[in-house]
Amino acid sequence: MATWTPDPAIIPWLEVVANATFTAAPIVAVDEEGMPASHYDFEIVGPRPKIIGLQVSQDEAGLVIAVPQVITGLYPPVEIEYQTPLADGGRQTGFCWDFPEIPVEADEIICFTPRKEPSLDWAFRVTAYFAQGSHMADSAEFILRVRADWTPGRDALKEAVDARRHQVRQ
Protein backbone atom coordinates (compact mmCIF):
# COMPACT_ATOMS: atom_id res chain seq x y z
CA MET A 1 0.00 0.00 0.00
CA ALA A 2 1.42 3.33 -1.07
CA THR A 3 1.44 6.60 0.82
CA TRP A 4 0.05 9.40 -1.32
CA THR A 5 0.73 13.12 -1.30
CA PRO A 6 -1.65 14.85 -1.32
CA ASP A 7 -3.88 12.53 0.67
CA PRO A 8 -6.68 11.23 -1.62
CA ALA A 9 -9.01 11.02 1.41
CA ILE A 10 -9.15 14.83 1.45
CA ILE A 11 -12.11 15.81 -0.70
CA PRO A 12 -11.77 17.85 -2.75
CA TRP A 13 -8.08 17.38 -3.41
CA LEU A 14 -8.16 20.61 -5.40
CA GLU A 15 -10.87 23.22 -5.90
CA VAL A 16 -10.82 25.66 -8.81
CA VAL A 17 -13.12 28.13 -10.51
CA ALA A 18 -14.35 26.99 -13.93
CA ASN A 19 -12.63 29.81 -15.81
CA ALA A 20 -9.31 29.47 -13.96
CA THR A 21 -6.02 28.20 -15.29
CA PHE A 22 -3.88 26.15 -12.92
CA THR A 23 -1.00 23.78 -12.46
CA ALA A 24 -1.59 21.51 -9.47
CA ALA A 25 1.12 20.45 -7.07
CA PRO A 26 2.51 17.04 -8.08
CA ILE A 27 0.73 13.89 -6.97
CA VAL A 28 3.34 11.54 -5.49
CA ALA A 29 3.16 7.96 -4.23
CA VAL A 30 5.85 6.21 -2.19
CA ASP A 31 6.00 2.55 -1.20
CA GLU A 32 6.47 1.12 2.30
CA GLU A 33 10.25 1.67 2.07
CA GLY A 34 9.82 5.32 1.08
CA MET A 35 10.74 4.76 -2.58
CA PRO A 36 8.78 6.94 -5.03
CA ALA A 37 6.82 5.44 -7.90
CA SER A 38 8.73 4.93 -11.14
CA HIS A 39 5.74 6.07 -13.25
CA TYR A 40 2.02 6.75 -13.13
CA ASP A 41 -1.13 6.10 -15.13
CA PHE A 42 -3.95 8.64 -15.13
CA GLU A 43 -7.64 8.05 -15.86
CA ILE A 44 -10.69 10.28 -15.65
CA VAL A 45 -13.35 8.30 -13.81
CA GLY A 46 -16.19 10.77 -14.33
CA PRO A 47 -18.56 12.41 -14.77
CA ARG A 48 -17.35 12.22 -18.40
CA PRO A 49 -14.48 10.28 -19.98
CA LYS A 50 -12.40 13.31 -20.97
CA ILE A 51 -11.72 16.97 -20.37
CA ILE A 52 -10.65 18.73 -23.56
CA GLY A 53 -7.65 20.92 -22.71
CA LEU A 54 -6.54 19.07 -19.57
CA GLN A 55 -2.83 18.27 -19.57
CA VAL A 56 -1.20 15.50 -17.55
CA SER A 57 2.57 15.11 -17.29
CA GLN A 58 4.97 13.23 -15.07
CA ASP A 59 8.59 13.46 -14.11
CA GLU A 60 10.70 12.67 -11.06
CA ALA A 61 8.58 15.08 -8.98
CA GLY A 62 5.38 13.10 -9.63
CA LEU A 63 2.23 13.43 -11.73
CA VAL A 64 1.13 16.98 -12.55
CA ILE A 65 -2.33 17.99 -13.74
CA ALA A 66 -2.70 21.36 -15.45
CA VAL A 67 -5.13 23.53 -17.36
CA PRO A 68 -2.87 26.14 -19.01
CA GLN A 69 -5.67 28.06 -20.75
CA VAL A 70 -9.34 28.75 -20.03
CA ILE A 71 -11.47 25.88 -21.32
CA THR A 72 -15.17 25.01 -21.27
CA GLY A 73 -14.40 21.39 -20.40
CA LEU A 74 -13.89 21.84 -16.67
CA TYR A 75 -17.50 22.89 -16.27
CA PRO A 76 -19.05 21.63 -19.52
CA PRO A 77 -22.64 22.19 -20.52
CA VAL A 78 -25.14 19.38 -20.06
CA GLU A 79 -25.67 19.14 -23.82
CA ILE A 80 -25.37 21.01 -27.10
CA GLU A 81 -27.73 20.27 -29.98
CA TYR A 82 -26.68 21.26 -33.50
CA GLN A 83 -27.78 20.71 -37.09
CA THR A 84 -25.78 19.76 -40.15
CA PRO A 85 -27.03 20.18 -43.72
CA LEU A 86 -27.37 17.02 -45.82
CA ALA A 87 -26.61 16.69 -49.54
CA ASP A 88 -30.30 16.12 -50.34
CA GLY A 89 -31.25 19.47 -48.75
CA GLY A 90 -32.40 17.93 -45.50
CA ARG A 91 -30.88 18.43 -42.08
CA GLN A 92 -29.40 16.07 -39.52
CA THR A 93 -29.54 16.82 -35.80
CA GLY A 94 -26.61 15.88 -33.59
CA PHE A 95 -25.68 16.20 -29.94
CA CYS A 96 -22.37 16.70 -28.12
CA TRP A 97 -21.08 17.55 -24.66
CA ASP A 98 -18.71 20.44 -25.32
CA PHE A 99 -17.99 23.12 -27.92
CA PRO A 100 -14.78 21.60 -29.35
CA GLU A 101 -16.85 18.52 -30.25
CA ILE A 102 -19.23 20.42 -32.56
CA PRO A 103 -18.44 19.28 -36.12
CA VAL A 104 -17.11 21.95 -38.48
CA GLU A 105 -19.90 21.16 -40.96
CA ALA A 106 -22.60 21.99 -38.38
CA ASP A 107 -24.23 25.22 -39.45
CA GLU A 108 -26.76 25.76 -36.65
CA ILE A 109 -26.67 25.58 -32.86
CA ILE A 110 -30.21 24.53 -31.96
CA CYS A 111 -30.04 24.22 -28.19
CA PHE A 112 -27.48 24.86 -25.48
CA THR A 113 -28.28 23.38 -22.07
CA PRO A 114 -26.02 24.85 -19.37
CA ARG A 115 -25.17 23.04 -16.17
CA LYS A 116 -27.02 24.62 -13.23
CA GLU A 117 -25.28 23.12 -10.20
CA PRO A 118 -22.93 25.41 -8.23
CA SER A 119 -20.05 22.94 -8.62
CA LEU A 120 -19.01 19.81 -10.46
CA ASP A 121 -16.74 17.08 -9.06
CA TRP A 122 -14.35 15.25 -11.39
CA ALA A 123 -12.89 11.96 -10.14
CA PHE A 124 -9.41 10.99 -11.33
CA ARG A 125 -7.78 7.61 -10.76
CA VAL A 126 -4.00 7.65 -10.47
CA THR A 127 -2.09 4.37 -10.51
CA ALA A 128 1.49 4.37 -9.25
CA TYR A 129 3.97 1.71 -10.38
CA PHE A 130 7.02 0.90 -8.33
CA ALA A 131 10.44 -0.31 -9.47
CA GLN A 132 10.29 -3.58 -7.47
CA GLY A 133 8.40 -5.17 -10.34
CA SER A 134 5.67 -4.50 -12.81
CA HIS A 135 3.13 -6.16 -10.48
CA MET A 136 3.85 -3.60 -7.73
CA ALA A 137 1.18 -0.93 -8.17
CA ASP A 138 -1.33 1.02 -6.12
CA SER A 139 -4.22 3.26 -7.17
CA ALA A 140 -6.00 6.19 -5.55
CA GLU A 141 -8.88 8.43 -6.59
CA PHE A 142 -8.65 12.20 -6.34
CA ILE A 143 -11.54 14.68 -6.58
CA LEU A 144 -11.18 17.96 -8.45
CA ARG A 145 -14.05 20.29 -7.54
CA VAL A 146 -14.87 22.92 -10.15
CA ARG A 147 -16.93 25.88 -8.95
CA ALA A 148 -19.37 27.24 -11.50
CA ASP A 149 -18.56 30.18 -13.72
CA TRP A 150 -20.77 30.32 -16.77
CA THR A 151 -18.58 32.84 -18.61
CA PRO A 152 -16.56 30.30 -20.68
CA GLY A 153 -19.75 28.54 -21.80
CA ARG A 154 -21.48 31.82 -22.61
CA ASP A 155 -18.49 33.04 -24.62
CA ALA A 156 -18.08 29.71 -26.44
CA LEU A 157 -21.79 29.69 -27.34
CA LYS A 158 -21.56 33.23 -28.73
CA GLU A 159 -18.44 32.33 -30.75
CA ALA A 160 -20.02 29.14 -32.11
CA VAL A 161 -23.22 30.91 -33.17
CA ASP A 162 -21.36 33.91 -34.63
CA ALA A 163 -19.01 31.67 -36.62
CA ARG A 164 -21.92 29.86 -38.21
CA ARG A 165 -23.84 33.06 -38.95
CA HIS A 166 -20.83 34.65 -40.65
CA GLN A 167 -20.22 31.40 -42.56
CA VAL A 168 -23.79 31.46 -43.95
CA ARG A 169 -23.65 35.15 -44.92
CA GLN A 170 -20.45 34.85 -46.95
Side-chain angles (χ1 to χ4, degrees), residues 26-30 35-40 57-64:
I27 294 173
V28 179
V30 296
M35 298 299 296
S38 60
H39 66 282
Y40 300 89
S57 61
Q58 58 183 298
D59 58 22
E60 62 278 349
L63 182 93
V64 176

Side-chain angles (χ1 to χ4, degrees), residues 8-73:
I10 297 172
I11 297 177
W13 145 72
L14 182 64
E15 187 168 354
V16 298
V17 177
N19 68 348
T21 61
F22 67 88
T23 300
I27 294 173
V28 179
V30 296
D31 65 13
E32 291 89 5
E33 285 123 35
M35 298 299 296
S38 60
H39 66 282
Y40 300 89
D41 280 341
F42 174 83
E43 175 188 6
I44 297 175
V45 176
R48 294 188 175 161
K50 64 181 177 178
I51 301 174
I52 298 169
L54 180 78
Q55 295 181 0
V56 180
S57 61
Q58 58 183 298
D59 58 22
E60 62 278 349
L63 182 93
V64 176
I65 298 168
V67 173
Q69 62 184 15
V70 175
I71 59 174
T72 58

